[in-house]
Amino acid sequence: MIAAAGGRVAFVVKGYPRLSETFIAQEILALEQRGLEILIVSLRHPTDPTTHPVHRQIRAPVLYLPEYLHDEPRRVAWGWRLTRRLPGYRMAWRIWLKDLIRDPTPNRIRRFGQALVLAAELPADIGQLHAHFLHTPASVARYAAAMRGLDWAVSAHAKDVWTIPEWEKRGKLASARWAVTCTETGRRHLAELAPMPGKVKLSYHGLDLDRFAPALARADTADGGDPACPVTLLSVGRAVAKKGYDDLLAALALLPAGLSWRLVHIGGGALAGHLKREAARLGLERRIEWRGPQPQPEVLRAYREADLFVLAAKVAKDGDRDGLPNVLLEAQSQSLACVATALPGIAELIEDGRSGVLVTPADAKALAAALERMIRSPALRRRLGDAGEARVRRDFDMNCGIALLARLFHLLPEPLSRIAGEGAERSEAGEGVEYGMDPHPPTPAAWPPPSPAMRERV
């Protein structure tokens, strides 16, 4: 194995392994296969009941940080004792204090504590940190990198791009060596906030097409007219607000009573119980199969058995939204026609009327009309499914994104065109401002004690 320039790379992720983040796992495996030596750093222990086969192929060791500081106080205290001697500790403390003044939350305190542990326990051969997601993993990576005097970079995705405040995005983009994100919409947004726009790159997750070989030709003749042969709708996604499952249930309730269909849902999520109750209220419970979270082979089997894929994603009230959901790439790779909503990231994949059908987000009537049309027309499903598969296999092979990342990690012999500002003095975006502070930062023992409620959350 060959490490990236300067040593191994520590990938900081929120939780590992996770069923809902196959794109991270496939990226780690692909970069390992390109020669990158990786340490996975997880802010949480796994909670999913199973894993994907790709997780078992990854060789990188995993370092789990304390999820809550009160769970491992000695480890946190030891981390502080070691890191406060590092030359970069004061800079990290100043960055964190500036963030804390703007965001005085237990979460912000917890991230600094996790960064203390990471900086103290980071192996000596780590030459760079890389955070997956611009929110909490990037905070921990940024603080720890400052303590250790290392470069760090970030992959931004969906929620993290749109829900953290602009001041935080500006600060992180100013100090990160480079950033990638998975939609052109997200790239433009972050580039507008970065002091050097060229450091923000577009890298579609893409799909590992070796894992998603073409399906056998579909014997797709069901048209919703035969109760003995219902059209099978499939949706894969977490039961969270941004996935729009409330809108999907409302749309299904609007379908004609005599139309024959069934829905299979795969995924966990906090709203699963609520959605099941809502389905019962609407009289849909006998038509819906809730399978819960499943490993990738079972998901692939479901794609191949379904007649139509549907994802009713929308912008949630807190601003959370999808980027380009990998489940759409996976479904289309199996020649499965897709009905989805016209969010900007989704529209970068699905061309309405050519490789799928797009409807306005949160419009149950429009979604119901699109579903009815697709249920009644197997020929249309075949045409759009074939077109979607051709587009995915032509334009969304994950190797394109992996090649970009390999160059950014200096794994390939050909030089990457210089990231804007590379070699120039790096801006710290005001991170050295003293705020009239004592030049000797207070120790954790000098911080005001947290309230009992805050102590439970830190």
Side-chain angles (χ1 to χ4, degrees):
M1 297 285 286
I2 42 174
R8 284 195 295 163
V9 178
F11 274 51
V12 183
V13 299
K14 194 165 186 179
Y16 181 87
R18 298 186 73 183
L19 289 176
S20 62
E21 294 175 358
T22 53
F23 59 93
I24 294 178
Q26 76 174 15
E27 177 183 300
I28 290 173
L29 178 61
L31 287 171
E32 279 191 337
Q33 292 170 342
R34 295 269 185 142
L36 186 64
E37 291 192 19
I38 295 171
L39 168 69
I40 299 171
V41 178
S42 178
L43 309 187
R44 293 179 177 174
H45 286 269
T47 57
D48 290 326
T50 186
T51 61
H52 294 307
V54 65
H55 292 122
R56 295 189 286 275
Q57 292 181 266
I58 291 171
R59 290 172 289 176
V62 185
L63 170 64
Y64 288 101
L65 301 181
E67 184 171 348
Y68 293 96
L69 306 188
H70 66 257
D71 290 340
E72 299 184 71
R74 291 185 179 180
R75 192 176 173 199
V76 176
W78 182 250
W80 171 73
R81 287 185 62 186
L82 293 179
T83 55
R84 67 189 297 265
R85 303 170 188 171
L86 297 173
Y89 176 83
R90 291 183 181 179
M91 175 60 75
W93 189 87
R94 290 167 185 153
I95 297 169
W96 171 74
L97 184 61
K98 183 179 177 182
D99 291 346
L100 184 65
I101 290 170
R102 288 173 158 175
D103 176 34
T105 62
N107 182 61
R108 186 65 60 179
I109 297 172
R110 182 159 35 131
R111 299 313 167 201
F112 191 73
Q114 289 177 313
L116 291 174
V117 175
L118 175 56
E121 298 182 5
L122 204 62
D125 64 342
I126 297 295
Q128 178 179 335
L129 277 68
H130 183 76
H132 260 290
F133 293 104
L134 193 55
H135 50 2
T136 49
S139 294
V140 174
R142 184 188 185 196
Y143 302 147
M147 293 177 199
R148 293 292 296 262
L150 298 173
D151 280 332
W152 74 284
V154 61
S155 292
H157 301 289
K159 177 178 182 177
D160 53 319
V161 174
W162 304 107
T163 60
I164 65 174
E166 287 197 357
W167 64 262
E168 187 169 0
K169 286 182 275 194
R170 290 182 188 277
K172 288 175 176 175
L173 291 170
S175 65
R177 178 77 168 181
W178 47 265
V180 297
T181 190
C182 58
T183 66
E184 174 57 22
T185 305
R187 188 207 64 78
R188 287 197 301 267
H189 171 72
L190 294 180
E192 290 172 357
L193 300 175
M196 295 175 288
K199 71 161 64 175
V200 183
K201 310 289 185 182
L202 171 63
S203 177
Y204 287 121
H205 297 148
L207 198 63
D208 183 350
L209 298 176
D210 291 335
R211 296 179 184 277
F212 288 86
L216 298 175
R218 293 177 177 275
D220 194 356
T221 58
D223 62 3
D226 183 358
C229 187
V231 173
T232 298
L233 314 181
L234 173 66
S235 190
V236 180
R238 289 178 298 130
V240 295
K242 70 177 179 180
K243 297 296 183 179
Y245 284 114
D246 54 342
D247 299 328
L248 176 57
L249 292 178
L252 293 173
L254 294 174
L255 293 175
L259 196 64
S260 183
W261 59 269
R262 61 188 289 268
L263 172 68
V264 173
H265 174 263
I266 293 177
L271 297 180
H274 167 76
L275 292 173
K276 291 176 184 178
R277 291 190 295 272
E278 180 64 9
R281 188 187 71 81
L282 295 170
L284 302 174
E285 70 272 26
R286 293 185 179 180
R287 293 186 177 223
I288 301 177
E289 180 183 351
W290 306 92
R291 293 186 182 175
Q294 297 290 322
Q296 200 167 65
E298 294 302 317
V299 179
L300 178 57
R301 183 177 295 109
Y303 290 135
R304 291 176 173 176
E305 293 173 350
D307 300 304
L308 179 64
F309 189 87
V310 57
L311 187 68
K314 62 182 175 182
V315 179
K317 290 181 180 180
D318 64 356
D320 190 11
R321 69 199 74 178
D322 270 328
L324 200 172
N326 261 41
V327 293
L328 290 172
L329 293 169
E330 293 172 359
Q332 289 195 313
S333 77
Q334 301 306 297
S335 195
L336 184 58
C338 294
V339 175
T341 43
L343 292 179
I346 292 175
E348 292 179 37
L349 168 66
I350 294 179
E351 302 165 302
D352 186 30
R354 297 179 61 187
S355 60
V357 175
L358 296 178
V359 300
T360 303
D363 187 338
K365 289 183 179 180
L367 181 57
L371 290 175
E372 181 179 359
R373 180 185 175 215
M374 295 291 281
I375 289 170
R376 293 189 185 279
S377 179
L380 179 59
R381 296 199 301 268
R382 283 195 297 272
R383 178 173 67 80
L384 295 180
D386 290 345
E389 180 181 15
R391 177 161 167 73
V392 165
R393 295 191 181 278
R394 183 184 68 239
D395 299 332
F396 289 90
D397 186 328
M398 79 163 186
N399 287 311
C400 296
I402 295 300
L404 170 64
L405 291 172
R407 293 195 296 271
L408 289 167
F409 284 120
H410 305 292
L411 291 177
L412 297 184
E414 64 267 29
L416 177 72
S417 52
R418 285 184 179 273
I419 298 171
E422 183 172 320
E425 183 176 354
R426 294 176 61 200
S427 167
E428 294 295 343
E431 291 165 356
V433 177
E434 293 287 346
Y435 293 100
M437 297 183 296
D438 184 331
H440 302 288
T443 67
W447 297 346
S451 67
M454 179 177 284
R455 189 179 296 111
E456 291 181 0
R457 298 171 59 192
V458 173

